Amino acid sequence: MEKNHQRFSIFDLVPISICVIRSDFSVIFWNKTMEEWTGMPAKEMLGKNITMTCPGLDRPICINRLNSLFDDGIPVIFSSRLHKDIFPVKLPNGEPRIHKTTVSAITIEPDKRFGALFSVEDVTGLSRTMNDLLESRNFLKEIFNSIQDGISVTDLNHTIRFVNPVVEQKYAGGGPVTGRKSHECYFGASEPLKNSPSLRCIESRETESAILPAPPGCDAKWIELFAYPIKSPESGQVTGVIEYIRDVTVRRQIEEELFRAKMAAEVATRAKSEFLANMSHEIRTPLNAVIGAAEILSGTSMTKEQRQIVDMLSVNSEYLLNIVNDIIDISKIEAGKIDLENIEFNLKNLVEKVCNIFEVNARKKGLTLNRRIDPDLPLAVKGDPSRIRQVLINLVSNAVKFTTQGHISVSCGYEKDNKDNILFSVSDTGIGISGFKQEIIFKSFTQADTSTTRQFGGTGLGLAICRRLVELMGGRISVTSQLNKGSTFYFTTRFEHVQASKTASAPPSCKEGENQAAPNVTFKFTKPARILLVEDYKYTRLIVLHFLMDTPFELDMAENGAQAVEKFTDKKYDLILMDLQMPVMDGYSATREIRKIEKSKGLPSTRIIALSAFALSEDRQKSIDAGCNDHLNKPVTKEALFEMLAQYLPAEKVISRPAGI
Amino acid sequence: MHISKENLDDISELVNIGMGKGAAMLNSLLESHITLNAPVITLVREADLKRALNKYLNQELFAAQMSFYGDFNGDAQLIFSHECAGKLVHALLGVGVETRLDDMDSLRAETLNEVGNIVINSIIGTISNELNLSMKFSIPCCMQGNFENIVGGDIAGTHEGVLHACVHFVVAELKIEGDIIMFLGIDSLRKLVEAIERYRKNL
């Protein structure tokens, strides 16, 4: 047995497998690491032909290369990856390893030829790291390739360094883009697009984005471009930009469609509101006739049973009228067709009158109705009395409606913190409103609990109208309530104050819409007068005729404006009741025509009272502008008609307690 | 320094013998038929190398490099363009063409290292054997980079002349081109010329 060559024993200390062979392939040194890796002890290897024990080394290529090394002394490398089995690269325990073998020439005395020194490095760890890196790189690449948005990485000069396949296929016409300038490549521009996200993000060091028209020639029409700055981990300097390109063509189309749909819906809502307003108006005309007819009937002598039926008729038709009025109001508000008046009126009177209206009803239900009006309030203010009244009536009627025992308080005074505002409150001891429902009752078409509709009635529009009206008047409406204990509604408005001296001459504030007029005042007309009623609707004519039957007035009729003008030129009238909407010639034109005739003939001005189902101020204003003296809302009740006529014709006030209420 | 046409012809002859030996080794290693030839050998001044190799400017290159010293000293490089290196690896190892070149850096480095080792060994070995020169060699290494990194790297600027041979690898009907360059100092060049002249006399 040969001894390990002493001069190589230092190699026993290195963690590299080393062996030395002579040119006859006999092993003269076999170090400790080699023993470990191959499982073959040195004493067995020394003197043996290496090709006998190391499979693969006996292949001609290896023999040739080793021979040239023995002759020329030129080192040789063997890669286990290329040669695979150049060395048994399985540890004795079966663990596979990757080795790299370098063979250097070494002189071995007294041989003439070189010997060979094999050094085998274990590169398994390195190789694994490489494989791991490769794997994670492939994984990242898979992700990049699977993303359906474009990703493009550029340096600070906008030169493209990397793109995913989507960019090449979708945005760059399929051509290779790496190395080209991004603006040139996508947009055919010689300079970067001004204010582009990429430029901005280099400046701001933040992610920037924009929606841009897509590059010409690609399927997309719009893209969203995000630019992320790449920051150096050491210095934090921006070293490049990641551009993320998303096709938002479909999204934009949808957005545009949604926008169009929204516009269409808004137009439809306005059209719906207008339709409702018009339809309600159409309903009101015949309804007025029903109400009038019931009123006329109730003035005649009837059996108890007949009277019950007539009562039913008038209660239900008025109820229906209220619903229709609500619909008209909300529709007008929603259609943006409401204008406010700004006239002087007596605020205290207004509150009193509203309370008077409900006094009787409250008493009938066993409720007390308290009113508390701050004596410091000015007598006269400037604003829209009919709207204030409408809101108050709504709140008080709700209070009465939803309260079965206890009391209702109506108060009116300055707001505590803001003396410019007047605060109205209506509180009751009724059913109350639960917390979350307090939020929604001011919205259109909402009642706190739809089940209450059946018990208490109503369209659910009242409070929505109140809110809109109060807001239109620059105020706020709110509610505090406890279930089963009661509710308090508050609203504020801002009025212009008017000097007290003017108050006396302030016009009476309750002309319009007063179908629930105070019951205890009637008028008796003392002198004959000639009245012309201009009205196209036969039944309204009939009703007015009935109302005036017991008066000393002589009533003449015209079916439209043209007839009215004709009659006016023939006869002299003390007063004209003028409907506004009529075929042939409407009330506005007829009024203007009459005023023209008066002027040309030097006649004294005839009183003209407009009759209209349009309960809104712009209609009133329109009729006043046309030359009317006053305005009476339909449905025309006997009380309202008489009160109006009493202003312009000689009359006596009769205080009485009418039966039936 | 000038090398006569006869001397250059002799060097060409030796290089081609070495090529033949290298090709035989590659054939047995890779079990595929490879022919190797280097038809023309020129001597260029180092300063003119860039012009001679201008096809390699502005691209990524791979090179196997070995240094030798003894009776004459110098460095030898086998250079491939990125593309040819990829083709060579495909041709030799049968790696699917669909494999992206980037994924193969380590495999390619290993392959070129060994191919370079075999080819350079064969040529220098043949020259030193035939001319009876005594030389030692470094272990080959593989380099990757642009022209300046590789050709103009730490070996540049100290040599009198560069022997340049364009090498054609023909593997499985593919023609793959590489270049062998051998940097030699003035002493080495003179010794080489002397050795060549001695060699011709002995023929």
Side-chain angles (χ1 to χ4, degrees):
Chain A
M1 189 190 295
E2 289 201 28
K3 266 180 85 186
N4 242 349
H5 244 262
Q6 283 301 318
R7 60 185 275 217
F8 301 122
S9 59
I10 193 164
F11 291 140
D12 278 334
L13 305 176
V14 297
I16 295 174
S17 288
I18 289 174
C19 72
V20 181
I21 58 168
R22 281 209 165 91
S23 52
D24 62 0
F25 294 92
S26 64
V27 176
I28 60 166
F29 178 75
W30 193 259
N31 82 342
K32 292 258 192 290
T33 312
M34 195 63 115
E35 287 183 325
E36 244 172 71
W37 287 4
T38 58
M40 295 203 249
K43 54 184 182 187
E44 279 179 27
M45 288 305 296
L46 292 175
K48 296 254 172 71
N49 187 324
I50 195 167
T51 58
M52 307 293 280
T53 37
C54 295
L57 263 187
D58 56 347
R59 291 165 61 209
I61 170 73
C62 297
I63 301 287
N64 279 343
R65 292 177 79 187
L66 287 173
N67 268 327
S68 78
L69 176 134
F70 294 144
D71 291 335
D72 310 331
I74 304 177
V76 169
I77 48 170
F78 294 122
S79 150
S80 69
R81 199 169 333 200
L82 288 185
H83 300 80
K84 291 187 179 68
D85 50 357
I86 193 85
F87 259 126
V89 283
K90 251 188 189 170
L91 294 194
N93 61 14
E95 189 189 341
R97 310 294 293 183
I98 295 171
H99 289 164
K100 182 183 172 195
T101 306
T102 309
V103 192
S104 317
I106 188 165
T107 47
I108 297 170
E109 300 295 345
D111 297 0
K112 279 193 181 154
R113 297 177 86 199
F114 290 102
L117 185 144
F118 286 73
S119 61
V120 186
E121 287 169 81
D122 188 320
V123 292
T124 314
L126 198 66
S127 187
R128 280 200 191 134
T129 311
M130 296 264 294
N131 279 338
D132 289 351
L133 279 176
L134 216 63
E135 228 167 74
S136 60
R137 198 163 73 166
N138 284 338
F139 178 63
L140 278 179
K141 188 167 270 175
E142 283 291 314
I143 292 176
F144 275 126
N145 291 352
S146 69
I147 290 175
Q148 293 309 300
D149 293 322
I151 296 173
S152 160
V153 181
T154 68
D155 62 16
L156 288 180
N157 298 320
H158 314 288
T159 305
I160 298 169
R161 292 292 171 211
F162 168 85
V163 291
N164 70 343
V166 170
V167 170
E168 288 184 344
Q169 289 154 16
K170 189 159 181 173
Y171 299 108
V177 295
T178 312
R180 290 167 66 190
K181 297 278 184 192
S182 113
H183 43 267
E184 177 266 328
C185 180
Y186 304 135
F187 293 98
S190 57
E191 292 284 319
L193 303 184
K194 267 184 192 157
N195 205 27
S196 76
S198 311
L199 277 185
R200 281 188 278 133
C201 97
I202 293 171
E203 191 79 9
S204 71
R205 304 165 45 80
E206 304 279 340
T207 302
E208 301 281 352
S209 70
I211 292 183
L212 302 168
C218 68
D219 290 341
K221 292 207 166 49
W222 292 95
I223 56 166
E224 189 167 26
L225 182 66
F226 292 92
Y228 302 86
I230 305 172
K231 292 175 194 163
S232 147
E234 290 92 28
S235 64
Q237 295 282 317
V238 176
T239 56
V241 177
I242 300 173
E243 292 174 339
Y244 191 92
I245 308 158
R246 174 173 290 172
D247 181 352
V248 291
T249 312
V250 174
R251 197 175 88 192
R252 271 198 70 116
Q253 273 168 1
I254 291 170
E255 279 170 359
E256 279 168 15
E257 277 163 22
L258 278 178
F259 181 72
R260 274 197 296 272
K262 180 171 169 274
M263 297 301 286
E266 280 174 6
V267 169
T269 302
R270 269 202 300 279
K272 184 196 78 185
S273 299
E274 280 171 21
F275 169 74
L276 275 176
N278 291 336
M279 201 188 65
S280 306
H281 175 69
E282 294 302 317
I283 294 170
R284 264 180 22 159
T285 309
L287 193 55
N288 290 340
V290 173
I291 290 169
E295 197 181 349
I296 292 161
L297 262 183
S298 70
T300 62
S301 63
M302 285 179 280
T303 65
K304 199 182 165 193
E305 201 176 38
Q306 282 170 332
R307 184 162 300 283
Q308 270 178 348
I309 294 169
V310 171
D311 280 351
M312 204 158 70
L313 193 61
S314 48
V315 166
N316 280 295
S317 52
E318 288 202 5
Y319 175 58
L320 183 57
L321 183 71
N322 282 337
I323 293 173
V324 171
N325 283 345
D326 274 358
I327 293 173
I328 291 185
D329 267 352
I330 198 76
S331 308
K332 289 240 173 187
I333 292 172
E334 279 181 353
K337 276 190 175 170
I338 202 157
D339 288 320
L340 292 175
E341 275 189 314
N342 196 21
I343 56 171
E344 285 177 26
F345 67 99
N346 185 323
L347 182 62
K348 289 178 179 176
N349 272 355
L350 185 146
V351 178
E352 283 287 351
K353 282 198 166 189
V354 170
C355 291
N356 286 343
I357 293 169
F358 292 100
E359 185 108 61
V360 180
N361 271 344
R363 213 168 28 232
K364 273 210 277 189
K365 288 183 80 173
L367 308 169
T368 50
L369 202 162
N370 307 319
R371 55 203 81 174
R372 212 170 41 245
I373 300 171
D374 186 345
D376 290 345
L377 283 178
L379 272 177
V381 294
K382 224 173 165 189
D384 190 333
S386 58
R387 294 306 172 192
I388 298 287
R389 185 181 309 111
Q390 194 177 348
V391 175
L392 263 181
I393 285 177
N394 209 306
L395 296 182
V396 179
S397 85
N398 273 348
V400 174
K401 199 196 280 183
F402 293 113
T403 308
T404 47
Q405 56 179 2
H407 61 268
I408 290 155
S409 302
V410 178
S411 80
C412 173
Y414 285 116
E415 197 180 9
K416 226 181 186 179
D417 306 329
N418 187 349
K419 297 282 183 210
D420 288 340
N421 285 347
I422 290 175
L423 175 74
F424 299 82
S425 76
V426 177
S427 47
D428 62 49
T429 54
I431 58 169
I433 306 158
S434 64
F436 79 96
K437 285 175 180 169
Q438 293 175 20
E439 307 258 318
I440 57 172
I441 51 171
F442 293 112
K443 291 183 175 159
S444 303
F445 303 105
T446 306
Q447 259 189 351
D449 183 343
T450 46
S451 59
T452 56
T453 311
R454 245 171 251 152
Q455 193 187 342
F456 300 102
T459 53
L461 287 175
L463 286 174
I465 294 169
C466 289
R467 195 198 84 202
R468 305 278 183 98
L469 290 177
V470 168
E471 283 171 358
L472 275 174
M473 291 187 284
R476 300 178 313 280
I477 191 164
S478 60
V479 62
T480 59
S481 180
Q482 247 186 315
L483 209 55
N484 300 323
K485 295 253 171 83
S487 313
T488 305
F489 283 83
Y490 302 93
F491 72 95
T492 61
T493 51
R494 185 173 291 225
F495 294 114
E496 252 178 74
H497 291 192
V498 184
Q499 283 184 348
S501 61
K502 278 189 165 183
T503 316
S505 64
S509 56
C510 36
K511 283 182 222 153
E512 64 288 307
E514 199 117 310
N515 36 34
Q516 298 128 311
N520 50 353
V521 180
T522 54
F523 296 91
K524 190 171 188 312
F525 297 97
T526 48
K527 286 189 181 165
R530 186 178 286 157
I531 296 174
L532 175 63
L533 171 63
V534 190
E535 166 66 62
D536 63 320
Y537 196 57
K538 188 170 113 192
Y539 299 104
T540 306
R541 292 203 302 270
L542 223 64
I543 285 161
V544 174
L545 181 67
H546 272 283
F547 285 164
L548 299 180
M549 217 173 246
D550 298 333
T551 62
F553 302 142
E554 183 189 322
L555 189 65
D556 214 346
M557 300 209 205
E559 286 180 26
N560 59 51
Q563 276 186 18
V565 173
E566 204 177 300
K567 294 215 167 191
F568 177 79
T569 46
D570 290 348
K571 278 190 196 167
K572 184 183 176 299
Y573 294 97
D574 298 300
L575 189 140
I576 300 171
L577 293 168
M578 177 75 78
D579 186 26
L580 291 176
Q581 278 205 317
M582 288 177 295
V584 187
M585 181 191 277
D586 67 18
Y588 304 109
S589 307
T591 303
R592 274 192 289 271
E593 201 60 35
I594 288 166
R595 294 297 182 219
K596 221 192 274 173
I597 294 166
E598 286 172 346
K599 211 175 168 188
S600 65
K601 292 190 177 172
L603 295 171
S605 166
T606 312
R607 316 269 184 200
I608 303 178
I609 313 290
L611 300 177
S612 170
F614 292 92
L616 300 169
S617 63
E618 69 264 23
D619 303 314
R620 172 204 299 274
Q621 195 56 48
K622 238 170 118 184
S623 61
I624 304 283
D625 289 349
C628 295
N629 299 81
D630 220 321
H631 184 277
L632 191 57
N633 273 348
K634 288 181 180 178
V636 180
T637 60
K638 195 170 177 178
E639 283 81 6
L641 179 63
F642 277 30
E643 193 183 333
M644 176 64 74
L645 293 177
Q647 282 186 56
Y648 299 103
L649 300 169
E652 278 177 11
K653 214 179 220 182
V654 181
I655 312 285
S656 64
R657 280 230 162 263
I661 300 183
Chain B
M1 178 165 174
H2 179 72
I3 299 185
S4 68
K5 192 176 173 303
E6 291 82 16
N7 290 346
L8 265 184
D9 284 347
D10 288 343
I11 294 173
S12 291
E13 179 68 23
L14 292 177
V15 168
N16 274 314
I17 294 170
M19 290 273 186
K21 282 167 94 176
M25 278 208 202
L26 284 176
N27 278 335
S28 56
L29 169 64
L30 300 159
E31 289 158 359
S32 53
H33 188 71
I34 300 174
T35 55
L36 272 179
N37 57 71
V40 189
I41 296 217
T42 53
L43 180 72
V44 288
R45 284 162 14 127
E46 198 175 350
D48 296 331
L49 195 59
K50 206 166 181 171
R51 202 172 337 133
L53 293 175
N54 64 358
K55 64 182 172 189
Y56 287 135
L57 297 179
N58 298 322
Q59 57 171 310
E60 179 134 53
L61 306 177
F62 280 86
Q65 177 176 324
M66 279 179 90
S67 303
F68 45 89
Y69 40 95
D71 284 347
F72 69 101
N73 303 334
D75 300 280
Q77 286 183 339
L78 173 63
I79 303 173
F80 293 101
S81 67
H82 189 279
E83 189 195 346
C84 281
K87 276 206 260 178
L88 187 65
V89 174
H90 287 155
L92 295 184
L93 303 182
V95 178
V97 185
E98 71 279 3
T99 311
R100 287 284 291 256
L101 292 184
D102 306 347
D103 298 342
M104 305 182 18
D105 283 354
S106 75
L107 191 55
R108 174 165 35 206
E110 221 166 302
T111 309
L112 293 180
N113 210 2
E114 224 177 312
V115 169
N117 181 222
I118 290 171
V119 173
I120 295 174
N121 279 4
S122 308
I123 294 168
I124 309 278
T126 304
I127 292 174
S128 67
N129 278 347
E130 295 293 326
L131 300 185
N132 218 357
L133 297 169
S134 158
M135 289 197 288
K136 291 187 170 176
F137 299 87
S138 72
I139 293 164
C141 64
C142 185
M143 298 187 299
Q144 183 175 355
N146 60 19
F147 185 85
E148 278 74 23
N149 300 146
I150 288 178
V151 182
D154 45 9
I155 56 168
T158 56
H159 305 100
E160 171 66 18
V162 182
L163 283 173
H164 169 229
C166 186
V167 193
H168 295 154
F169 292 75
V170 182
V171 191
E173 299 182 2
L174 277 177
K175 283 196 175 67
I176 298 163
E177 206 177 79
D179 283 79
I180 284 184
I181 48 178
M182 215 185 291
F183 295 88
L184 297 167
I186 186 150
D187 282 349
S188 301
L189 206 53
R190 192 181 304 122
K191 279 181 183 160
L192 179 64
V193 171
E194 285 167 10
I196 290 276
E197 283 170 352
R198 237 186 359 255
Y199 166 74
R200 188 157 350 99
K201 277 180 203 149
N202 295 343
L203 277 181

